[in-house]
Amino acid sequence: MSAYQPINCEFHDIIEACATRRKNIVIVVRQTDATRRTIHGCITDVFARDGAEYLKTHCGELIRLDQLLAVDGHEITNF
């Protein structure tokens, strides 16, 4: 995987707010083959490890934050 690219702080705040509320949301992720994948559920944790930031979904999946395209209707390109 490529080097981690930090995300916008305001977008990070949205992710943390969703995790705090355990709100059911839609998460759109960029796959390694450049396709998009949509996940329906909630964020249970946001953390840093080995120089990158991740979120953990309700089903235990880890997603690197720089792979996110949208969270709860907020698109990363708007930040």
Side-chain angles (χ1 to χ4, degrees), residues 9-69:
C9 292
E10 291 176 34
F11 191 67
H12 194 281
D13 289 345
I14 291 168
I15 295 166
E16 287 184 335
C18 290
T20 300
R21 293 184 199 119
R22 302 287 170 132
K23 180 180 176 185
N24 281 320
I25 59 169
V26 175
I27 303 166
V28 182
V29 181
R30 181 180 59 247
Q31 303 277 80
T32 54
D33 64 357
T35 60
R36 299 166 73 109
R37 181 168 59 103
T38 302
I39 301 165
H40 298 268
C42 67
I43 299 170
T44 59
D45 196 10
V46 180
F47 62 94
R49 178 174 54 197
D50 300 326
E53 295 177 288
Y54 297 86
L55 66 77
K56 185 175 182 180
T57 67
H58 66 288
C59 60
E61 181 177 2
L62 298 181
I63 300 169
R64 210 169 80 169
L65 298 190
D66 63 347
Q67 300 302 308
L68 294 171
L69 297 173

